[in-house]
Amino acid sequence: MEKIINGKALALQYQDDIINFIKEREATNLRLPAISLIQVGNDGGSNYYRESVKKLCEKLKITVKECIYEENIEEKVFLDSVKAVDEDINVDGILMLMPLPKHIDSNKAIDQISQGKDIDGLTDNNIGKFYSGKKAFIPCTAKAVLAILESLPIELEGKNVVVLGRSNVVGKPVSNLLIGKNATVTTCHSKTENLKEVCKRADILVAAIGKPKFIGNEYVKEGAIVIDVGTTYYEGKLTGDVNFDEVSELASFITPVPGGVGALTTTMLLSSLCEACKNNV
Amino acid sequence: MEKIINGKALALQYQDDIINFIKEREATNLRLPAISLIQVGNDGGSNYYRESVKKLCEKLKITVKECIYEENIEEKVFLDSVKAVDEDINVDGILMLMPLPKHIDSNKAIDQISQGKDIDGLTDNNIGKFYSGKKAFIPCTAKAVLAILESLPIELEGKNVVVLGRSNVVGKPVSNLLIGKNATVTTCHSKTENLKEVCKRADILVAAIGKPKFIGNEYVKEGAIVIDVGTTYYEGKLTGDVNFDEVSELASFITPVPGGVGALTTTMLLSSLCEACKNNV
């Protein structure tokens, strides 16, 4: 197996599962999965993400319903619209593109999404289920990290994992997923002391802090697996948290940026959509 | 400050806050807080816990509504009863004593409790809020561990914490609480390799595995703070996870069993009840 993990190739494998799922539904005359993309305003990152989801949906024959609202939409009107989208029985899952404008309370907006359509794992209910070890939708980046680790010829059980970052959408859910896989997990962050020393003990290092090229050789044990979740624009290029040229010498497996974790997230989202579709009777 | 942490004394401090809260409500002619204790059958542990809650409620002038059902109550009848208790505007918080008999789905039972009355932090909604960093009720044992650590003359920020155990009611919430306090947290469990080595690096060691006297000197760094959440009956005595006689020599602070964490839990539950009462307009 290649040392440099190929996120795109792994994405294609997961896409095959989606294609098969859809073929089966077609063969039995079932409705194809449908996703609703909700966006307010014209944020560049949101536009980019929405377009990439649309493109993949087109390829996979997934129905897309775009709900794009003016930046200055009233909160109440927006919340009611989200509620209506959620109640549409022909919508299986909802992706709400963040950030929302400041005059809209994102918690309230998320609360309009029912648990079964919350394919990005944003609702309190899904989050609670996830941390209690029940079946739940989880943020697709965390799901992508696990998919990558599970594609490697290693056991996660007993591994010493260091997760750098404690965000609700990456650091914390990745930690919880890996505890569930019987790894020993240390969660680090900006206040961690002796960070190099802690990271250097890791069999698996997951970096999700958004600091370009922060992780150099001095943070990495020889033979460690390094998963780079960082995506920052730096000197005009999408750049990870890991100094790839340096660390790839030491690591046994490493994800590149781009082409690593990021290459999988949209596919993971649509995998969750298929799950939601299956349950949306 | 004494090396051996006095859970009872700390409980009395928190009880003073509760007493003041109740006095203020009396002074303004507001209804006193009321807790509902729900139990099915005659489990010894549940009886003991219920009696200790009742005793403390009596001392603090908290109204207790006991709802005790026959072991063989039909699931549907029980769920409807819990729902009715939850809808009672004169009940501020609910403690559902576990375990429920096997023919009752405890998830369904918990789902009958609304978030505002879920003072023990069992509902998916509360759990989700908690792990997202929002205000939420949390299991009272985890709350007790934090109260003890916050009573010590130390900073939690940057501390290397090892939590031994990953249960939904202790290990995981304690880990999340301490990450929230800027500690670096390693979550260990039965599959952790080199456990002694990992524990020996801890500035703060929280043991919650239910293995009597498991943690001896070889797991503890000199000067570490050791919090023992274990409560197992062993040779006829309530025994912690820590070999107290041995470890108390090394530790800078240590909780005894009994008289440590356990001495605080019921008080923490009733603190949460007062919170719930404040919000129960």
Side-chain angles (χ1 to χ4, degrees), chain A residues 51-90:
Chain A
E51 286 306 322
S52 69
V53 174
K54 270 170 72 179
K55 208 170 123 188
L56 185 56
C57 285
E58 205 170 310
K59 174 179 168 190
L60 299 175
K61 289 203 197 177
I62 288 171
T63 310
V64 175
K65 304 194 179 189
E66 285 186 284
C67 307
I68 301 172
Y69 304 94
E70 296 287 336
E71 179 81 26
N72 61 0
I73 187 172
E74 265 181 58
E75 185 184 59
K76 166 108 183 51
V77 178
F78 176 65
L79 297 180
D80 289 346
S81 302
V82 177
K83 181 115 201 119
V85 171
D86 186 73
E87 283 169 355
D88 181 346
I89 53 163
N90 290 318

mmCIF file of all heavy atoms in Angstrom, chain A residues 51-90:
data_model
loop_
_atom_site.group_PDB
_atom_site.id
_atom_site.type_symbol
_atom_site.label_atom_id
_atom_site.label_comp_id
_atom_site.label_asym_id
_atom_site.label_seq_id
_atom_site.Cartn_x
_atom_site.Cartn_y
_atom_site.Cartn_z
ATOM 1 N N GLU A 51 -21.390 23.939 -4.688
ATOM 2 C CA GLU A 51 -21.147 23.511 -6.069
ATOM 3 C C GLU A 51 -20.525 22.113 -6.104
ATOM 4 O O GLU A 51 -20.866 21.290 -6.961
ATOM 5 C CB GLU A 51 -20.233 24.517 -6.799
ATOM 6 C CG GLU A 51 -20.925 25.831 -7.183
ATOM 7 C CD GLU A 51 -22.203 25.626 -8.008
ATOM 8 O OE1 GLU A 51 -22.241 24.720 -8.862
ATOM 9 O OE2 GLU A 51 -23.177 26.384 -7.771
ATOM 10 N N SER A 52 -19.623 21.845 -5.160
ATOM 11 C CA SER A 52 -18.971 20.532 -5.201
ATOM 12 C C SER A 52 -19.958 19.420 -4.814
ATOM 13 O O SER A 52 -19.911 18.319 -5.355
ATOM 14 C CB SER A 52 -17.707 20.512 -4.335
ATOM 15 O OG SER A 52 -18.048 20.604 -2.988
ATOM 16 N N VAL A 53 -20.882 19.734 -3.898
ATOM 17 C CA VAL A 53 -21.915 18.745 -3.560
ATOM 18 C C VAL A 53 -22.814 18.509 -4.774
ATOM 19 O O VAL A 53 -23.129 17.359 -5.123
ATOM 20 C CB VAL A 53 -22.745 19.205 -2.333
ATOM 21 C CG1 VAL A 53 -23.914 18.253 -2.077
ATOM 22 C CG2 VAL A 53 -21.877 19.289 -1.078
ATOM 23 N N LYS A 54 -23.201 19.598 -5.428
ATOM 24 C CA LYS A 54 -24.077 19.482 -6.605
ATOM 25 C C LYS A 54 -23.444 18.616 -7.696
ATOM 26 O O LYS A 54 -24.092 17.776 -8.314
ATOM 27 C CB LYS A 54 -24.352 20.878 -7.197
ATOM 28 C CG LYS A 54 -25.574 21.552 -6.617
ATOM 29 C CD LYS A 54 -25.663 22.992 -7.052
ATOM 30 C CE LYS A 54 -26.041 23.142 -8.527
ATOM 31 N NZ LYS A 54 -26.141 24.591 -8.871
ATOM 32 N N LYS A 55 -22.170 18.873 -7.905
ATOM 33 C CA LYS A 55 -21.447 18.148 -8.958
ATOM 34 C C LYS A 55 -21.437 16.645 -8.669
ATOM 35 O O LYS A 55 -21.718 15.818 -9.542
ATOM 36 C CB LYS A 55 -20.002 18.685 -9.010
ATOM 37 C CG LYS A 55 -19.352 18.585 -10.375
ATOM 38 C CD LYS A 55 -18.031 19.348 -10.392
ATOM 39 C CE LYS A 55 -16.904 18.425 -10.788
ATOM 40 N NZ LYS A 55 -15.578 19.070 -10.644
ATOM 41 N N LEU A 56 -21.149 16.321 -7.427
ATOM 42 C CA LEU A 56 -21.107 14.900 -7.072
ATOM 43 C C LEU A 56 -22.510 14.281 -7.135
ATOM 44 O O LEU A 56 -22.677 13.136 -7.566
ATOM 45 C CB LEU A 56 -20.482 14.723 -5.675
ATOM 46 C CG LEU A 56 -20.260 13.282 -5.225
ATOM 47 C CD1 LEU A 56 -19.399 12.499 -6.227
ATOM 48 C CD2 LEU A 56 -19.615 13.227 -3.843
ATOM 49 N N CYS A 57 -23.518 15.053 -6.735
ATOM 50 C CA CYS A 57 -24.901 14.553 -6.805
ATOM 51 C C CYS A 57 -25.279 14.244 -8.253
ATOM 52 O O CYS A 57 -25.944 13.235 -8.530
ATOM 53 C CB CYS A 57 -25.867 15.583 -6.230
ATOM 54 S SG CYS A 57 -25.819 15.676 -4.440
ATOM 55 N N GLU A 58 -24.850 15.121 -9.143
ATOM 56 C CA GLU A 58 -25.149 14.923 -10.558
ATOM 57 C C GLU A 58 -24.539 13.603 -11.029
ATOM 58 O O GLU A 58 -25.206 12.781 -11.667
ATOM 59 C CB GLU A 58 -24.551 16.090 -11.336
ATOM 60 C CG GLU A 58 -25.231 16.360 -12.649
ATOM 61 C CD GLU A 58 -24.736 17.687 -13.242
ATOM 62 O OE1 GLU A 58 -24.737 18.700 -12.496
ATOM 63 O OE2 GLU A 58 -24.323 17.678 -14.411
ATOM 64 N N LYS A 59 -23.285 13.422 -10.684
ATOM 65 C CA LYS A 59 -22.590 12.196 -11.071
ATOM 66 C C LYS A 59 -23.299 10.953 -10.520
ATOM 67 O O LYS A 59 -23.406 9.925 -11.209
ATOM 68 C CB LYS A 59 -21.156 12.264 -10.518
ATOM 69 C CG LYS A 59 -20.338 11.005 -10.716
ATOM 70 C CD LYS A 59 -18.923 11.148 -10.159
ATOM 71 C CE LYS A 59 -18.237 9.789 -10.103
ATOM 72 N NZ LYS A 59 -16.974 9.840 -9.363
ATOM 73 N N LEU A 60 -23.799 11.056 -9.285
ATOM 74 C CA LEU A 60 -24.350 9.869 -8.617
ATOM 75 C C LEU A 60 -25.859 9.727 -8.811
ATOM 76 O O LEU A 60 -26.462 8.792 -8.292
ATOM 77 C CB LEU A 60 -24.026 9.920 -7.116
ATOM 78 C CG LEU A 60 -22.537 9.943 -6.739
ATOM 79 C CD1 LEU A 60 -22.384 10.125 -5.236
ATOM 80 C CD2 LEU A 60 -21.831 8.673 -7.192
ATOM 81 N N LYS A 61 -26.472 10.659 -9.558
ATOM 82 C CA LYS A 61 -27.928 10.659 -9.793
ATOM 83 C C LYS A 61 -28.722 10.923 -8.519
ATOM 84 O O LYS A 61 -29.755 10.279 -8.253
ATOM 85 C CB LYS A 61 -28.388 9.314 -10.376
ATOM 86 C CG LYS A 61 -27.964 9.060 -11.802
ATOM 87 C CD LYS A 61 -28.949 8.034 -12.360
ATOM 88 C CE LYS A 61 -28.468 7.364 -13.620
ATOM 89 N NZ LYS A 61 -29.449 6.353 -14.042
ATOM 90 N N ILE A 62 -28.211 11.817 -7.709
ATOM 91 C CA ILE A 62 -28.936 12.240 -6.507
ATOM 92 C C ILE A 62 -29.645 13.550 -6.817
ATOM 93 O O ILE A 62 -29.064 14.452 -7.430
ATOM 94 C CB ILE A 62 -27.953 12.392 -5.324
ATOM 95 C CG1 ILE A 62 -27.508 11.004 -4.858
ATOM 96 C CG2 ILE A 62 -28.573 13.187 -4.180
ATOM 97 C CD1 ILE A 62 -26.377 11.010 -3.858
ATOM 98 N N THR A 63 -30.917 13.615 -6.420
ATOM 99 C CA THR A 63 -31.696 14.824 -6.664
ATOM 100 C C THR A 63 -31.247 15.945 -5.724
ATOM 101 O O THR A 63 -31.084 15.714 -4.530
ATOM 102 C CB THR A 63 -33.197 14.543 -6.422
ATOM 103 O OG1 THR A 63 -33.540 13.364 -7.154
ATOM 104 C CG2 THR A 63 -34.063 15.700 -6.857
ATOM 105 N N VAL A 64 -31.072 17.139 -6.287
ATOM 106 C CA VAL A 64 -30.674 18.291 -5.467
ATOM 107 C C VAL A 64 -31.787 19.330 -5.475
ATOM 108 O O VAL A 64 -32.311 19.676 -6.531
ATOM 109 C CB VAL A 64 -29.380 18.937 -6.019
ATOM 110 C CG1 VAL A 64 -29.037 20.210 -5.247
ATOM 111 C CG2 VAL A 64 -28.223 17.956 -5.971
ATOM 112 N N LYS A 65 -32.147 19.787 -4.285
ATOM 113 C CA LYS A 65 -33.082 20.917 -4.204
ATOM 114 C C LYS A 65 -32.347 22.069 -3.533
ATOM 115 O O LYS A 65 -31.995 21.976 -2.359
ATOM 116 C CB LYS A 65 -34.305 20.532 -3.376
ATOM 117 C CG LYS A 65 -35.003 19.286 -3.925
ATOM 118 C CD LYS A 65 -36.379 19.083 -3.338
ATOM 119 C CE LYS A 65 -36.986 17.833 -3.958
ATOM 120 N NZ LYS A 65 -38.389 17.626 -3.628
ATOM 121 N N GLU A 66 -32.099 23.092 -4.308
ATOM 122 C CA GLU A 66 -31.379 24.237 -3.749
ATOM 123 C C GLU A 66 -32.353 25.253 -3.177
ATOM 124 O O GLU A 66 -33.332 25.618 -3.832
ATOM 125 C CB GLU A 66 -30.538 24.904 -4.837
ATOM 126 C CG GLU A 66 -29.305 24.103 -5.188
ATOM 127 C CD GLU A 66 -28.428 24.864 -6.168
ATOM 128 O OE1 GLU A 66 -28.801 24.906 -7.346
ATOM 129 O OE2 GLU A 66 -27.397 25.398 -5.735
ATOM 130 N N CYS A 67 -32.059 25.680 -1.966
ATOM 131 C CA CYS A 67 -32.866 26.722 -1.337
ATOM 132 C C CYS A 67 -31.915 27.829 -0.937
ATOM 133 O O CYS A 67 -31.259 27.738 0.102
ATOM 134 C CB CYS A 67 -33.570 26.191 -0.099
ATOM 135 S SG CYS A 67 -34.514 24.708 -0.435
ATOM 136 N N ILE A 68 -31.823 28.828 -1.784
ATOM 137 C CA ILE A 68 -30.861 29.900 -1.537
ATOM 138 C C ILE A 68 -31.631 31.178 -1.246
ATOM 139 O O ILE A 68 -32.549 31.537 -1.984
ATOM 140 C CB ILE A 68 -29.930 30.068 -2.748
ATOM 141 C CG1 ILE A 68 -29.216 28.732 -2.977
ATOM 142 C CG2 ILE A 68 -28.917 31.187 -2.512
ATOM 143 C CD1 ILE A 68 -28.418 28.666 -4.242
ATOM 144 N N TYR A 69 -31.293 31.782 -0.130
ATOM 145 C CA TYR A 69 -32.043 32.948 0.329
ATOM 146 C C TYR A 69 -31.161 34.189 0.302
ATOM 147 O O TYR A 69 -29.943 34.110 0.431
ATOM 148 C CB TYR A 69 -32.563 32.703 1.750
ATOM 149 C CG TYR A 69 -33.393 31.449 1.859
ATOM 150 C CD1 TYR A 69 -32.810 30.242 2.242
ATOM 151 C CD2 TYR A 69 -34.759 31.463 1.555
ATOM 152 C CE1 TYR A 69 -33.567 29.085 2.335
ATOM 153 C CE2 TYR A 69 -35.523 30.307 1.635
ATOM 154 C CZ TYR A 69 -34.923 29.121 2.032
ATOM 155 O OH TYR A 69 -35.669 27.978 2.111
ATOM 156 N N GLU A 70 -31.824 35.330 0.167
ATOM 157 C CA GLU A 70 -31.115 36.615 0.220
ATOM 158 C C GLU A 70 -30.455 36.784 1.590
ATOM 159 O O GLU A 70 -31.028 36.401 2.614
ATOM 160 C CB GLU A 70 -32.104 37.776 0.013
ATOM 161 C CG GLU A 70 -32.769 37.804 -1.350
ATOM 162 C CD GLU A 70 -31.809 38.255 -2.452
ATOM 163 O OE1 GLU A 70 -30.837 38.958 -2.127
ATOM 164 O OE2 GLU A 70 -32.032 37.868 -3.623
ATOM 165 N N GLU A 71 -29.315 37.408 1.587
ATOM 166 C CA GLU A 71 -28.553 37.715 2.800
ATOM 167 C C GLU A 71 -29.423 38.362 3.898
ATOM 168 O O GLU A 71 -29.278 38.077 5.080
ATOM 169 C CB GLU A 71 -27.415 38.681 2.408
ATOM 170 C CG GLU A 71 -26.520 39.151 3.530
ATOM 171 C CD GLU A 71 -25.435 38.152 3.902
ATOM 172 O OE1 GLU A 71 -25.042 37.349 3.027
ATOM 173 O OE2 GLU A 71 -25.009 38.170 5.066
ATOM 174 N N ASN A 72 -30.375 39.208 3.471
ATOM 175 C CA ASN A 72 -31.144 39.981 4.464
ATOM 176 C C ASN A 72 -32.506 39.366 4.785
ATOM 177 O O ASN A 72 -33.387 40.041 5.316
ATOM 178 C CB ASN A 72 -31.291 41.430 3.990
ATOM 179 C CG ASN A 72 -32.039 41.495 2.658
ATOM 180 O OD1 ASN A 72 -32.447 40.448 2.111
ATOM 181 N ND2 ASN A 72 -32.236 42.696 2.135
ATOM 182 N N ILE A 73 -32.678 38.073 4.500
ATOM 183 C CA ILE A 73 -33.952 37.426 4.820
ATOM 184 C C ILE A 73 -34.222 37.539 6.327
ATOM 185 O O ILE A 73 -33.302 37.449 7.145
ATOM 186 C CB ILE A 73 -33.947 35.932 4.367
ATOM 187 C CG1 ILE A 73 -35.328 35.308 4.554
ATOM 188 C CG2 ILE A 73 -32.872 35.135 5.107
ATOM 189 C CD1 ILE A 73 -35.452 33.904 3.950
ATOM 190 N N GLU A 74 -35.482 37.779 6.675
ATOM 191 C CA GLU A 74 -35.836 37.860 8.103
ATOM 192 C C GLU A 74 -35.655 36.497 8.756
ATOM 193 O O GLU A 74 -35.969 35.468 8.160
ATOM 194 C CB GLU A 74 -37.312 38.241 8.245
ATOM 195 C CG GLU A 74 -37.553 39.722 8.423
ATOM 196 C CD GLU A 74 -39.038 39.983 8.582
ATOM 197 O OE1 GLU A 74 -39.649 39.406 9.517
ATOM 198 O OE2 GLU A 74 -39.596 40.730 7.749
ATOM 199 N N GLU A 75 -35.208 36.529 10.009
ATOM 200 C CA GLU A 75 -34.952 35.264 10.712
ATOM 201 C C GLU A 75 -36.187 34.368 10.704
ATOM 202 O O GLU A 75 -36.121 33.193 10.361
ATOM 203 C CB GLU A 75 -34.493 35.528 12.153
ATOM 204 C CG GLU A 75 -34.110 34.239 12.874
ATOM 205 C CD GLU A 75 -33.736 34.447 14.331
ATOM 206 O OE1 GLU A 75 -34.590 34.959 15.089
ATOM 207 O OE2 GLU A 75 -32.610 34.091 14.720
ATOM 208 N N LYS A 76 -37.324 34.951 11.085
ATOM 209 C CA LYS A 76 -38.549 34.139 11.210
ATOM 210 C C LYS A 76 -38.912 33.498 9.863
ATOM 211 O O LYS A 76 -39.286 32.319 9.804
ATOM 212 C CB LYS A 76 -39.677 35.051 11.731
ATOM 213 C CG LYS A 76 -41.086 34.509 11.620
ATOM 214 C CD LYS A 76 -41.649 34.122 12.968
ATOM 215 C CE LYS A 76 -43.054 33.488 12.894
ATOM 216 N NZ LYS A 76 -43.211 32.397 11.956
ATOM 217 N N VAL A 77 -38.798 34.274 8.797
ATOM 218 C CA VAL A 77 -39.122 33.754 7.461
ATOM 219 C C VAL A 77 -38.181 32.603 7.112
ATOM 220 O O VAL A 77 -38.604 31.552 6.613
ATOM 221 C CB VAL A 77 -39.028 34.882 6.399
ATOM 222 C CG1 VAL A 77 -39.301 34.348 5.000
ATOM 223 C CG2 VAL A 77 -39.978 36.022 6.748
ATOM 224 N N PHE A 78 -36.909 32.802 7.422
ATOM 225 C CA PHE A 78 -35.928 31.754 7.128
ATOM 226 C C PHE A 78 -36.220 30.485 7.935
ATOM 227 O O PHE A 78 -36.244 29.375 7.378
ATOM 228 C CB PHE A 78 -34.510 32.261 7.421
ATOM 229 C CG PHE A 78 -33.454 31.204 7.228
ATOM 230 C CD1 PHE A 78 -33.208 30.681 5.962
ATOM 231 C CD2 PHE A 78 -32.730 30.708 8.300
ATOM 232 C CE1 PHE A 78 -32.249 29.690 5.770
ATOM 233 C CE2 PHE A 78 -31.769 29.723 8.115
ATOM 234 C CZ PHE A 78 -31.526 29.215 6.846
ATOM 235 N N LEU A 79 -36.460 30.642 9.235
ATOM 236 C CA LEU A 79 -36.723 29.464 10.074
ATOM 237 C C LEU A 79 -37.940 28.700 9.560
ATOM 238 O O LEU A 79 -37.926 27.459 9.483
ATOM 239 C CB LEU A 79 -36.938 29.881 11.538
ATOM 240 C CG LEU A 79 -35.737 30.559 12.237
ATOM 241 C CD1 LEU A 79 -36.095 30.923 13.675
ATOM 242 C CD2 LEU A 79 -34.495 29.671 12.216
ATOM 243 N N ASP A 80 -38.976 29.429 9.184
ATOM 244 C CA ASP A 80 -40.172 28.772 8.649
ATOM 245 C C ASP A 80 -39.863 28.030 7.349
ATOM 246 O O ASP A 80 -40.389 26.934 7.105
ATOM 247 C CB ASP A 80 -41.286 29.803 8.407
ATOM 248 C CG ASP A 80 -41.871 30.310 9.716
ATOM 249 O OD1 ASP A 80 -41.611 29.676 10.764
ATOM 250 O OD2 ASP A 80 -42.565 31.342 9.706
ATOM 251 N N SER A 81 -38.991 28.616 6.532
ATOM 252 C CA SER A 81 -38.634 27.960 5.275
ATOM 253 C C SER A 81 -37.870 26.667 5.542
ATOM 254 O O SER A 81 -38.110 25.654 4.889
ATOM 255 C CB SER A 81 -37.757 28.869 4.421
ATOM 256 O OG SER A 81 -38.418 30.068 4.162
ATOM 257 N N VAL A 82 -36.945 26.718 6.496
ATOM 258 C CA VAL A 82 -36.179 25.505 6.818
ATOM 259 C C VAL A 82 -37.130 24.419 7.307
ATOM 260 O O VAL A 82 -37.042 23.260 6.902
ATOM 261 C CB VAL A 82 -35.081 25.791 7.873
ATOM 262 C CG1 VAL A 82 -34.354 24.509 8.244
ATOM 263 C CG2 VAL A 82 -34.091 26.831 7.357
ATOM 264 N N LYS A 83 -38.050 24.829 8.164
ATOM 265 C CA LYS A 83 -39.052 23.895 8.684
ATOM 266 C C LYS A 83 -39.818 23.254 7.521
ATOM 267 O O LYS A 83 -40.056 22.040 7.505
ATOM 268 C CB LYS A 83 -40.002 24.655 9.617
ATOM 269 C CG LYS A 83 -41.077 23.834 10.256
ATOM 270 C CD LYS A 83 -40.882 23.770 11.766
ATOM 271 C CE LYS A 83 -41.601 22.579 12.376
ATOM 272 N NZ LYS A 83 -40.713 21.654 13.028
ATOM 273 N N ALA A 84 -40.209 24.061 6.549
ATOM 274 C CA ALA A 84 -40.970 23.552 5.409
ATOM 275 C C ALA A 84 -40.124 22.564 4.592
ATOM 276 O O ALA A 84 -40.620 21.514 4.168
ATOM 277 C CB ALA A 84 -41.444 24.709 4.537
ATOM 278 N N VAL A 85 -38.857 22.904 4.400
ATOM 279 C CA VAL A 85 -37.968 21.990 3.681
ATOM 280 C C VAL A 85 -37.890 20.670 4.443
ATOM 281 O O VAL A 85 -37.975 19.582 3.869
ATOM 282 C CB VAL A 85 -36.544 22.597 3.533
ATOM 283 C CG1 VAL A 85 -35.574 21.562 2.990
ATOM 284 C CG2 VAL A 85 -36.572 23.833 2.650
ATOM 285 N N ASP A 86 -37.754 20.781 5.755
ATOM 286 C CA ASP A 86 -37.629 19.580 6.578
ATOM 287 C C ASP A 86 -38.880 18.707 6.470
ATOM 288 O O ASP A 86 -38.803 17.485 6.506
ATOM 289 C CB ASP A 86 -37.378 19.981 8.033
ATOM 290 C CG ASP A 86 -37.106 18.775 8.911
ATOM 291 O OD1 ASP A 86 -36.006 18.216 8.789
ATOM 292 O OD2 ASP A 86 -37.995 18.371 9.692
ATOM 293 N N GLU A 87 -40.025 19.352 6.340
ATOM 294 C CA GLU A 87 -41.285 18.593 6.307
ATOM 295 C C GLU A 87 -41.594 18.012 4.930
ATOM 296 O O GLU A 87 -42.526 17.223 4.781
ATOM 297 C CB GLU A 87 -42.432 19.486 6.794
ATOM 298 C CG GLU A 87 -42.409 19.625 8.319
ATOM 299 C CD GLU A 87 -43.348 20.708 8.846
ATOM 300 O OE1 GLU A 87 -43.951 21.432 8.031
ATOM 301 O OE2 GLU A 87 -43.449 20.824 10.082
ATOM 302 N N ASP A 88 -40.817 18.401 3.938
ATOM 303 C CA ASP A 88 -41.034 17.888 2.580
ATOM 304 C C ASP A 88 -40.653 16.404 2.542
ATOM 305 O O ASP A 88 -39.487 16.040 2.710
ATOM 306 C CB ASP A 88 -40.152 18.713 1.620
ATOM 307 C CG ASP A 88 -40.312 18.275 0.165
ATOM 308 O OD1 ASP A 88 -40.889 17.189 -0.087
ATOM 309 O OD2 ASP A 88 -39.846 19.027 -0.715
ATOM 310 N N ILE A 89 -41.637 15.542 2.292
ATOM 311 C CA ILE A 89 -41.338 14.102 2.368
ATOM 312 C C ILE A 89 -40.426 13.650 1.230
ATOM 313 O O ILE A 89 -39.860 12.563 1.282
ATOM 314 C CB ILE A 89 -42.611 13.219 2.358
ATOM 315 C CG1 ILE A 89 -43.502 13.567 1.161
ATOM 316 C CG2 ILE A 89 -43.375 13.329 3.666
ATOM 317 C CD1 ILE A 89 -44.534 12.512 0.853
ATOM 318 N N ASN A 90 -40.269 14.494 0.210
ATOM 319 C CA ASN A 90 -39.365 14.130 -0.881
ATOM 320 C C ASN A 90 -37.923 14.579 -0.652
ATOM 321 O O ASN A 90 -37.078 14.409 -1.520
ATOM 322 C CB ASN A 90 -39.889 14.701 -2.192
ATOM 323 C CG ASN A 90 -41.153 13.985 -2.629
ATOM 324 O OD1 ASN A 90 -41.227 12.750 -2.528
ATOM 325 N ND2 ASN A 90 -42.150 14.733 -3.046
#
